[in-house]
Amino acid sequence: MGKKIRLVGVLLGSMLLLSACKGKEEEKEPTPEPTIRQEQLVTPMEPAPSVTPAESGLVFRLETEEYSAKEGDVEVFQAKLVYPVFEGGCADALNEFVSSMIGGFRLRLPLSEENARLNYAEFSGEDIEYAFPEAEELDITIVAEAEEWLSFSSLWYGNTGGPHPNTYCKTYVRKKADGSEVKIEEYLEQYGLTLEETAAYAAEQVRAVSEEGMFWDEEGLPESFLKILEEDQWYLTEKGLMLFANPYELAAYVYGKIEYEIPYEVLQQGLKNQ
């Protein structure tokens, strides 16, 4: 009987001790939630890629940087990046190549933002639609993909004041094996073609379908297309070899980007037009 009483006493004491501890915990001030500083809310410069990459090993990142300069509902400046990220294979070489383009874009942003603010201040209140600065954008995409190569296009758009936004396209063809660049001379060699004859063919075809007086130098189109090839303004599509000129390079701004595609069948037949 004495043992039972002692056991009940121990249990009762434990219950009283736990009750007292619980009371003290309830009397404590609630722990405040940690505050988040404003700089912690900034969009990270390198957001994580998608967790479900495409079968080819491609994923795409979308990165947006918004600046705070506004007048009412008008954005004074905004910058946007869209670019592919690679996994597996020659991923390191391809990602390094894409990163170099992104680095150049970011170096340009501070000056673009300053120009946007200055232009907005100058034209603010005037009834000029194009006077309001808009954005800088870099869009890097894959134009076409084959077993041995990837064809890239990077489009740089900028409008920080003025009647015409600036658009500039640059293209690249890279080997999947090691990420190295495919040069136009190397690519044409498989068809037994030279830069000069390819440029002359493209100029002849473009001249035949263009309106009279369209080009700055119509007679010099073969030399112009040769320069286009030498400056790597070409890329590969699903159907053929595409040559292009950016706005103002061959003609007035109203004609925009000028392109001409030579089908693979024509290349294989030695540029014999069908």
Side-chain angles (χ1 to χ4, degrees):
M1 182 69 177
K3 290 183 180 179
K4 290 182 180 179
I5 292 173
R6 284 198 297 274
L7 181 58
V8 170
V10 170
L11 292 174
L12 182 60
S14 299
M15 291 174 62
L16 290 173
L17 181 61
L18 289 172
S19 177
C21 291
K22 184 177 180 182
K24 288 183 180 180
E25 286 180 0
E26 290 176 351
E27 291 174 4
K28 288 183 179 179
E29 291 288 334
T31 304
E33 293 292 328
T35 57
I36 302 176
R37 298 198 306 272
Q38 187 64 30
E39 57 265 32
Q40 291 176 299
L41 299 176
V42 176
T43 303
M45 297 297 284
E46 294 293 343
S50 167
V51 294
T52 56
E55 290 182 4
S56 62
L58 282 181
V59 292
F60 281 81
R61 284 182 178 171
L62 169 62
E63 179 175 329
T64 302
E65 302 170 17
E66 292 188 2
Y67 290 78
S68 60
K70 292 184 180 181
E71 287 291 337
D73 295 330
V74 178
E75 286 282 354
V76 173
F77 187 77
Q78 179 174 306
K80 183 174 74 173
L81 284 172
V82 182
Y83 56 98
V85 177
F86 300 93
E87 297 179 348
C90 57
D92 289 345
L94 291 173
N95 286 326
E96 184 179 351
F97 147 70
V98 171
S99 296
S100 66
M101 286 187 279
I102 293 173
F105 176 78
R106 287 195 174 129
L107 286 175
R108 180 186 172 103
L109 290 184
L111 181 60
S112 298
E113 181 187 3
E114 182 182 356
N115 287 337
R117 294 170 186 266
L118 291 173
N119 279 308
Y120 186 86
E122 181 179 355
F123 292 104
S124 182
E126 296 190 23
D127 188 20
I128 305 176
E129 185 176 351
Y130 62 75
F132 301 104
E134 294 180 3
E136 289 273 359
E137 297 180 8
L138 178 63
D139 188 351
I140 307 170
T141 59
I142 305 300
V143 180
E145 179 179 2
E147 185 175 349
E148 69 278 9
W149 50 256
L150 286 169
S151 190
F152 290 84
S153 172
S154 68
L155 181 63
W156 199 326
Y157 166 88
N159 183 10
T160 55
H164 295 154
N166 297 315
T167 56
Y168 180 75
C169 180
K170 187 68 180 168
T171 53
Y172 316 82
V173 180
R174 296 271 164 164
K175 295 178 182 177
K176 281 187 175 180
D178 57 8
S180 62
E181 184 178 4
V182 178
K183 301 298 291 183
I184 185 61
E185 297 89 345
E186 174 189 356
Y187 184 78
L188 290 175
E189 187 178 349
Q190 66 183 305
Y191 300 108
L193 300 171
T194 65
L195 293 183
E196 289 76 13
E197 58 189 333
T198 304
Y201 176 86
E204 178 185 353
Q205 299 301 312
V206 169
R207 187 188 289 119
V209 297
S210 302
E211 62 183 75
E212 187 177 353
M214 172 177 167
F215 299 104
W216 304 126
D217 182 10
E218 191 163 337
E219 294 300 319
L221 274 182
E223 290 76 17
S224 297
F225 273 95
L226 178 60
K227 184 179 179 181
I228 282 171
L229 287 170
E230 291 173 340
E231 294 185 356
D232 290 321
Q233 290 180 212
W234 66 282
Y235 60 95
L236 300 173
T237 71
E238 301 296 341
K239 297 180 179 180
L241 169 66
M242 185 75 79
L243 283 64
F244 71 93
N246 284 299
Y248 289 121
E249 289 185 334
L250 295 183
Y253 183 87
V254 67
Y255 294 106
K257 182 184 176 186
I258 297 171
E259 294 189 318
Y260 178 70
E261 185 176 50
I262 306 177
Y264 292 125
E265 294 82 0
V266 174
L267 292 170
Q268 290 167 353
Q269 295 173 15
L271 298 179
K272 293 177 182 178
N273 189 28
Q274 301 299 306

